[in-house]
């Protein structure tokens, strides 16, 4: 009868023999798998994270103001550390520049698309107004209106104002063409463009995402008021005929405006 010691020895499996050759290598022609994602994917991921930084910053600028928002606040909103932000942006000034640039680019792209769609000037103008009103209710467009470009360095401010001027010129062009085709009352395109852009820009000041109206409803009502006015009038109301809408003369070279004052003293 085998002893307990012998039985114990039989229960232990023999050790596997050591390999005599070199370590196993990948099959020839099959490259080793890389733990890193392809460059294109990494670039997309980085851009997505950078956009997340900008969007969080725009929201905070809109809520608290530019000066009252710190990089620590932006990092906390994103659940990252402050040093992580420096991988995507240089400083807070660059963040603001990128935020307002995005707002302007969105507007210009929308205006270009409406122009490319063709149609009458009035149709293009209405589409541009809808684009403008919708964008100023979004984070980057709202940041453009609420924060503006006053906090930026002179060179950056100059470039952004150039883009704003391009939007103004497009509105002027469409107003002038609308007058020419007869779909708009005769008017001064410059002043009318200022009124349109000013009224629609102000939406970005008072609009609240949790408010009573959706962005589409806000745009529709504001544009309807701008185009239809607030006065009730008949079709033959002579007080609003084209003859009563004078086009101002060009200012003198000195920039001063001469005003005629009627003497009441005789």
């Amino acid at each position: 009868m085998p002893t307990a010691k012998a039985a114990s020895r039989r229960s232990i499996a023999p050790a596997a023999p050591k390999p005599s050759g070199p370590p196993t290598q990948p099959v020839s022609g099959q490259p080793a798998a890389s733990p890193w994602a392809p460059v294109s994917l990494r670039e997309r991921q980085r851009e997505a994270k950078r956009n997340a930084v900008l969007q969080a910053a725009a929201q905070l600028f809109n809520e608290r103001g530019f000066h009252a928002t710190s990089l620590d606040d932006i990092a906390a909103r994103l659940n990252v550390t402050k040093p992580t932000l420096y991988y995507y942006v240089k400083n807070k000034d660059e963040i603001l520049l990128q935020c307002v640039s995005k707002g302007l680019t969105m507007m210009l792209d929308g205006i270009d698309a409406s122009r490319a769609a063709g149609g009458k000037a009035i149709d293009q103008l209405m589409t541009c107004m809808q684009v403008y009103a919708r964008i100023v209710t979004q984070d980057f467009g709202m940041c453009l209106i609420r924060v503006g470009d006053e906090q930026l360095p002179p060179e950056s401010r100059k470039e952004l104002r150039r883009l704003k001027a391009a939007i103004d010129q497009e509105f002027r062009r469409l107003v002038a063409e609308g007058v020419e085709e007869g779909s708009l009352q005769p008017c001064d395109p410059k002043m009318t463009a200022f009124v349109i852009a000013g009224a629609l820009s102000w939406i970005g000041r008072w609009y609240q995402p949790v408010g009573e109206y959706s962005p589409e409803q806000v745009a529709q009502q504001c544009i309807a008021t701008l185009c239809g006015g607030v006065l009730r009038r008949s079709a033959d109301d002579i007080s609003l005929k084209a003859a009563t809408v004078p086009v101002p003369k060009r200012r003198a070279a000195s920039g001063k405006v001469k005003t005629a004052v009627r003497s009441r003293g005789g």
Side-chain angles (χ1 to χ4, degrees), residues 45-119:
Q45 291 174 340
R46 185 179 186 278
E47 186 62 20
K49 291 177 180 178
R50 183 172 177 276
N51 285 331
V53 170
L54 296 178
Q55 187 145 18
Q59 292 171 350
L60 287 167
F61 292 159
N62 295 336
E63 296 167 9
R64 306 179 185 182
F66 177 72
H67 291 296
T69 300
S70 67
L71 290 178
D72 288 314
D73 295 328
I74 298 171
R77 174 73 57 102
L78 293 166
N79 299 317
V80 299
T81 62
K82 181 179 176 179
T84 301
L85 297 181
Y86 291 114
Y87 184 67
Y88 305 100
V89 292
K90 294 179 181 178
N91 50 45
K92 199 170 75 167
D93 287 342
E94 187 200 8
I95 292 176
L96 177 59
L97 174 62
Q98 294 302 317
C99 286
V100 295
S101 294
K102 277 184 171 289
L104 280 169
T105 300
M106 291 165 65
M107 289 180 180
L108 287 168
D109 288 347
I111 290 172
D112 288 344
S114 67
R115 184 176 184 178

Side-chain angles (χ1 to χ4, degrees), residues 149-202:
D149 55 20
E150 294 79 9
Q151 315 301 331
L152 296 173
E155 285 303 314
S156 299
R157 192 184 315 140
K158 183 178 179 180
E159 174 62 15
L160 289 174
R161 290 182 177 176
R162 183 187 67 79
L163 296 175
K164 288 181 180 179
I167 296 174
D168 173 65
Q169 290 297 325
E170 190 64 18
F171 274 121
R172 293 191 200 185
R173 180 187 71 81
L174 291 173
V175 169
E177 291 181 6
V179 172
E180 185 177 353
E181 73 183 13
S183 58
L184 294 178
Q185 291 277 6
C187 61
D188 177 359
K190 177 180 177 179
M191 288 300 301
T192 303
F194 282 165
V195 170
I196 291 173
L200 297 179
S201 293
W202 203 252

Side-chain angles (χ1 to χ4, degrees), residues 126-140:
M126 294 291 287
T127 301
C128 288
M129 292 169 71
Q130 290 166 0
V131 167
Y132 198 104
R134 183 177 67 252
I135 289 174
V136 297
T137 64
Q138 299 174 9
D139 293 330
F140 294 120

Side-chain angles (χ1 to χ4, degrees), residues 11 82 104 213 222 232:
S11 65
K82 181 179 176 179
L104 280 169
Y213 301 108
C222 288
R232 292 189 64 181

